[in-house]
Amino acid sequence: DRSGGTISIDEELARRMQRMRDRHDLTHDWMRMAALKGVLVDGAGATVYNWFAEFNVTKKEVDFVLGTAGTDILAKCNEVVAHIEDNLQGETATGIGALVSPTFFNKLVGHAKVKELYLNYAAAEAIMNPQTDDGGFGIRPRRFAFGNITFMEHRGNVTTVSAAGVRTSTPFISSACVRPRKPGRPVSASKRMRPTAKRSALAPSSSP
């Protein structure tokens, strides 16, 4: 009975099944993001798998120092790209994409050495690609190609429950991190990780 009305058993079953599918999809996305991060945590925040440890991989971090106006952002991008290219291990890449938080994206495009380039890029992008991928609501995830990296804003979040039962909205990507990826390959960095040799993965970050 809903608002004084009634629904059939089939309607209620369909509603519950859809809710389960939605939750499954969200869990699936959480797991895929964990593969990019290299660490899987459960809803309570406890580590389930640390693939850096499992595959004997040393995580490399690149601090973009976006809070400093004089930072050479292009040099930071070059460091990321060089690390990926040096660790392809015989594989090929058609491009480099980085999933970033809204905070990181705002700091990047607002940086003194990037802002003007982004404004020109955004204007050109709006003219060349006016279509949206949002179901008609006029909103598109922001992206910006700079230094041979396509930075893509990711606003996804999930509700997690701590061991004490506290519910928290947790972003898929923290405000300090970038998750690099090759298009079409849901891996943590630019290569497949194998346990046969010690290698390095990449996790750029931004200082406030």
Side-chain angles (χ1 to χ4, degrees), residues 118-129:
Y118 174 69
L119 292 176
N120 292 333
Y121 175 90
E125 180 74 5
I127 294 173
M128 293 185 294
N129 300 297

Side-chain angles (χ1 to χ4, degrees), residues 33-39 52 57-64 75-87 96-99 148-149 151 176-182 187-191 193 199-205:
M33 185 60 71
L36 287 171
K37 292 179 178 180
V39 178
F52 295 108
V57 172
T58 300
K59 179 171 68 173
K60 176 179 173 61
E61 295 187 354
V62 178
D63 191 341
F64 274 58
K76 297 294 185 180
C77 292
N78 289 340
E79 184 177 351
V80 172
V81 173
H83 177 80
I84 291 175
E85 291 180 339
D86 291 345
N87 288 276
I96 298 172
L99 299 175
N148 290 319
I149 301 173
F151 295 91
C177 294
V178 178
R179 298 301 168 195
R181 63 184 291 272
K182 292 192 296 183
V187 294
S188 170
S190 63
K191 59 192 182 308
M193 301 176 191
R199 303 192 181 159
S200 55
L202 185 64
S205 60

Side-chain angles (χ1 to χ4, degrees), residues 8-118:
S8 68
I9 293 177
D10 287 342
E11 289 174 327
E12 178 63 15
L13 179 60
R15 184 186 70 82
R16 295 192 181 193
M17 290 297 293
Q18 183 59 54
R19 184 171 62 180
M20 290 176 63
R21 281 192 291 268
D22 291 342
R23 290 178 176 177
H24 180 272
D25 288 343
L26 190 58
T27 300
H28 188 209
D29 286 345
W30 179 262
M31 298 288 283
R32 294 178 67 186
M33 185 60 71
L36 287 171
K37 292 179 178 180
V39 178
L40 172 62
V41 297
D42 60 20
T47 299
V48 179
Y49 285 108
N50 183 325
W51 285 293
F52 295 108
E54 293 287 338
F55 292 100
N56 194 30
V57 172
T58 300
K59 179 171 68 173
K60 176 179 173 61
E61 295 187 354
V62 178
D63 191 341
F64 274 58
V65 200
L66 294 174
T68 302
T71 301
D72 188 343
I73 304 300
L74 184 58
K76 297 294 185 180
C77 292
N78 289 340
E79 184 177 351
V80 172
V81 173
H83 177 80
I84 291 175
E85 291 180 339
D86 291 345
N87 288 276
L88 282 174
Q89 302 287 332
E91 295 190 29
T92 60
T94 58
I96 298 172
L99 299 175
V100 304
S101 70
T103 299
F104 186 100
F105 193 93
N106 288 335
K107 287 183 178 181
L108 174 66
V109 301
H111 191 271
K113 295 191 176 183
V114 178
K115 185 174 182 178
E116 185 174 350
L117 292 172
Y118 174 69

